[in-house]
Amino acid sequence: MERIHKINKLLLITYNLGGVCLVAIGNLVGIGAPPGYIPPWLKLVTAMVFSTMIIGHIVRYILERRMNKTG
């Protein structure tokens, strides 16, 4: 149960970071950047955040299933 609680905190943080990444990408339109240009560092950070989020959901699902099986 403690592990699931820690993963829920991780997911909360990654959802917030993902939102910040999407806002940063959305604000690039207003700075005069060429259409469709996203800096490589922002692509990398966004990919890391969202992949961490997906992995966290998978791990939480597995832990919840194990907990339900052992009762």
Side-chain angles (χ1 to χ4, degrees), residues 1-67:
M1 187 63 146
E2 181 68 28
R3 290 182 194 169
I4 294 173
H5 192 60
K6 287 181 182 179
I7 291 175
N8 284 339
K9 286 182 182 180
L10 170 75
L11 288 173
L12 178 67
I13 292 168
T14 57
Y15 271 107
N16 287 324
L17 288 175
V20 169
C21 289
L22 293 177
V23 167
I25 290 171
N27 284 336
L28 285 176
V29 174
I31 63 170
Y37 173 74
I38 299 173
W41 62 269
L42 187 55
K43 288 181 185 178
L44 179 67
V45 170
T46 304
M48 287 173 46
V49 168
F50 281 99
S51 62
T52 303
M53 189 185 307
I54 291 169
I55 291 169
H57 276 288
I58 292 169
V59 170
R60 185 180 71 178
Y61 175 75
I62 291 170
L63 289 176
E64 286 177 349
R65 282 190 53 196
R66 282 188 191 166
M67 196 171 80

